Amino acid sequence: MSSEKPFGLVAKQKIQKGMTITREKIIPMEFDESRYDIVEVNVEIKDLDPVFHDYKIVNLSDLHLGQWLTAEYLEGVIDIVNRQEPDMVALTGDYVSYILDDVAEDLERCLSMIEVKDASLAVLGNHDHWNGADEIRQILKNAGIIDVSNDVYSISRDGEKEVANLHIAGVDSMKLNKEDIDAVMLKIPEHGPAIMLAHEPDFADIAATTGRFALQISGHSHGGQFIIPGLNTTILRSACSRKYPVGEYQVGDMVQYTSKGLGTNVFWLRINCAPEITIFKLKSPEVEEKDENNESMNINQTLSVNHSKKMFPTREDVDNFLNINDISEFIESKRKRIPVYVENKTDNIKENINEIPKYIENKTEEIKNNLKFN
């Protein structure tokens, strides 16, 4: 399946080349940090050793380098990443759109600029397979990034009593049927909390079913590139990102987070959906509990209140918004209008046909007159 090219690939490549030629005329080319959403997500993870408390993972997804995202923009993004001083960087696929050759050197050079304490880990997305999975994997390797597609990478630190582990698993593209959760489950150690990297967010249903992962980090959807104000969700949902298109969800005992990504696909447009750099901070329940106890014992403590907006809808909110009965009624109302529309169009066509002889007669007279004049 991975060797299959998407429908109309050649046409899409031509469109991308054409748009790239005009890009500098229609898009400001200077990098502007204010255009990006830097989103912080705190995730409390059961059995996370205190030595990993506040462990920082920065996620970049859906670069689509060569379309709206230029090498200059990617350099600016990586500068933001490096300023966060991350313990780990997670890259969740789709590094290019439809053309790799034009941007391969820039992609490798920019990814090589990432500075990280432990490791930079990556999985592949559907576009990476369409452009050549082997070539993308080699670029990642040359840039010092570890591909964990259908694999596991473990991070170890010295705890108070013993060595503590945090396992980062990944799966290959679900859309192309390249994910292999069985291989992952065979490789992952029995003890120690685990995190899943998956390009397509709807893989969360499978990951959560294993009961092994506390968090899944994904992209793929681009947040739909259009977010409905107030609801903070999108109606533009592609395959494998229909259930969890943007933001944070609780899937069983696992947190699923879907980034809005950095680049765009097909059209260079985002409405109420800024490109995103996501910073995950892992929290140890043991440390959190100690901090709460210390605060309650401190008589002179200053009360600090976190006023956080509800940024993302619950599943119930989304289901209500996408109520199937409402959709059915909408479709039915449109269907009823079709006969009237066809009838009106037919009448217009008949009127135009009736005008044709008169039009020909007038044109004939006009031509005769011109001939006489000449």
Side-chain angles (χ1 to χ4, degrees), residues 1-2 92-94 123-130 137 149-150 170-181 196-207 216 218-220 238-244 256:
M1 290 289 290
S2 66
T92 43
D94 277 6
V123 293
L124 267 58
N126 50 298
H127 281 264
D128 304 317
H129 282 278
W130 292 337
R137 292 188 208 278
S149 300
N150 299 328
V171 288
D172 212 328
S173 175
M174 177 187 186
K175 185 171 182 178
L176 300 183
N177 298 321
K178 287 295 176 180
E179 83 285 7
D180 191 346
I181 189 63
M196 170 63 73
L197 307 183
H199 177 65
E200 294 91 348
D202 288 358
F203 184 76
D205 286 339
I206 298 172
Q216 177 176 302
S218 303
H220 184 59
S238 60
C240 302
S241 60
R242 291 195 167 94
K243 291 186 72 174
Y244 312 110
Q256 159 62 30

Side-chain angles (χ1 to χ4, degrees), residues 42-55 193 281-292:
N42 293 331
V43 183
E44 187 173 287
I45 295 181
K46 181 183 177 182
D47 298 328
L48 184 70
D49 191 281
V51 73
F52 283 109
H53 184 71
D54 278 339
Y55 191 85
K281 287 187 178 179
L282 309 186
K283 301 293 183 179
S284 165
E286 184 179 333
V287 176
E288 295 281 274
E289 186 177 357
K290 285 181 181 179
D291 289 345
E292 288 178 5

Side-chain angles (χ1 to χ4, degrees), residues 344-368:
N344 291 338
K345 281 294 180 184
T346 303
D347 290 339
N348 289 338
I349 292 169
K350 287 179 179 178
E351 290 175 8
N352 289 332
I353 289 174
N354 292 333
E355 291 294 319
I356 290 174
K358 186 184 294 183
Y359 176 82
I360 294 174
E361 184 180 345
N362 292 337
K363 279 295 178 183
T364 303
E365 288 297 322
E366 184 178 329
I367 292 168
K368 286 180 179 178

Side-chain angles (χ1 to χ4, degrees), residues 12 15-16 100 118 124 126 200 239 263 270 273:
K12 290 175 180 177
I15 290 170
Q16 180 174 329
L100 173 60
D118 286 327
L124 267 58
N126 50 298
E200 294 91 348
R270 283 179 175 268
C273 184

Side-chain angles (χ1 to χ4, degrees), residues 34-189:
S34 67
R35 295 175 182 270
Y36 291 79
D37 279 351
I38 301 176
V39 180
E40 292 190 6
V41 182
N42 293 331
V43 183
E44 187 173 287
I45 295 181
K46 181 183 177 182
D47 298 328
L48 184 70
D49 191 281
V51 73
F52 283 109
H53 184 71
D54 278 339
Y55 191 85
K56 189 183 294 185
I57 301 173
V58 176
N59 170 235
L60 301 179
S61 193
D62 300 277
L63 278 59
H64 287 278
L65 184 64
Q67 285 211 0
W68 178 80
L69 195 83
T70 64
E72 181 181 351
Y73 273 67
L74 185 53
E75 288 171 5
V77 166
I78 291 173
D79 179 59
I80 296 174
V81 171
N82 291 342
R83 295 204 309 264
Q84 309 307 313
E85 299 182 346
D87 294 291
M88 191 190 101
V89 168
L91 303 166
T92 43
D94 277 6
Y95 306 101
V96 294
S97 284
Y98 302 107
I99 302 171
L100 173 60
D101 292 344
D102 293 355
V103 297
E105 290 185 7
D106 283 332
L107 179 61
E108 182 177 320
R109 177 179 59 81
C110 290
L111 292 181
S112 299
M113 296 165 57
I114 295 175
E115 299 171 4
V116 66
K117 295 175 184 176
D118 286 327
S120 295
L121 307 179
V123 293
L124 267 58
N126 50 298
H127 281 264
D128 304 317
H129 282 278
W130 292 337
N131 283 277
D134 291 341
E135 290 84 349
I136 294 290
R137 292 188 208 278
Q138 189 60 52
I139 287 171
L140 293 173
K141 184 178 180 180
N142 293 346
I145 295 166
I146 301 167
D147 177 21
V148 291
S149 300
N150 299 328
D151 209 344
V152 179
Y153 184 89
S154 296
I155 298 165
S156 301
R157 290 195 173 176
D158 292 329
E160 291 184 4
K161 300 178 182 179
E162 58 185 2
V163 174
N165 294 303
L166 175 65
H167 309 297
I168 313 297
V171 288
D172 212 328
S173 175
M174 177 187 186
K175 185 171 182 178
L176 300 183
N177 298 321
K178 287 295 176 180
E179 83 285 7
D180 191 346
I181 189 63
D182 292 335
V184 171
M185 296 308 293
L186 286 172
K187 294 175 183 178
I188 197 166

